[in-house]
Amino acid sequence: APYNQGDLENGRRVFARCRSCHTVTEGGPNMTGPNLHGVFGRQAGVQAKYNYSNALKSAGFTWDAERLDHWLQNPRTFLPGNKMTFPGLPDDADRRDVIAYLKVETGYQPQPTPAS
């Protein structure tokens, strides 16, 4: 999905469903879910001071937009055994927009392209 073309306002509105469990600000608290600041490029299951499920602790991947897209579609089937109770976002545009919003709000810094 072209996450750089996401509708940030729609992403903010859709993320409202997530705010009861997640914060996005730098240094924000973990709640029912972990703080998401810096999530892009972070290994799954390692946010400090958050008690992850064994499924996430042993997931062995790094969060990127594509993985987050699949996770948000249906967290239970993406990684069975995780403790997230959210049923997911079935709408492709809503997921694209939430990911675009999160990239802005969580301090995402794209990796520089190596000079050729």
Side-chain angles (χ1 to χ4, degrees):
Y3 305 106
N4 61 341
Q5 297 175 16
D7 178 339
L8 296 179
E9 183 55 29
N10 184 54
R12 184 188 64 76
R13 281 191 304 270
V14 174
F15 187 76
R17 301 179 217 173
C18 312
R19 287 195 186 280
S20 63
C21 295
H22 294 281
T23 59
V24 294
T25 57
E26 186 173 8
N30 293 319
M31 297 169 55
T32 302
N35 173 277
L36 298 176
H37 194 273
V39 68
F40 295 99
R42 182 168 64 212
Q43 182 154 346
V46 299
Q47 172 70 7
K49 300 180 184 176
Y50 185 76
N51 184 25
Y52 285 95
S53 64
N54 287 334
L56 266 167
K57 287 179 194 176
S58 62
F61 65 80
T62 299
W63 288 111
D64 60 18
E66 290 75 21
R67 278 228 166 77
L68 192 55
D69 193 348
H70 293 296
W71 169 269
L72 290 173
Q73 186 174 17
N74 189 328
R76 292 180 193 139
T77 59
F78 175 79
L79 188 64
N82 79 77
K83 62 184 182 178
M84 187 164 160
T85 59
F86 185 69
L89 297 171
D91 185 79
D92 293 343
D94 283 348
R95 289 194 314 277
R96 179 201 61 210
D97 296 347
V98 164
I99 291 166
Y101 172 78
L102 286 173
K103 281 188 168 191
V104 170
E105 295 296 316
T106 64
Y108 171 73
Q109 297 292 321
Q111 296 298 314
T113 306
S116 2

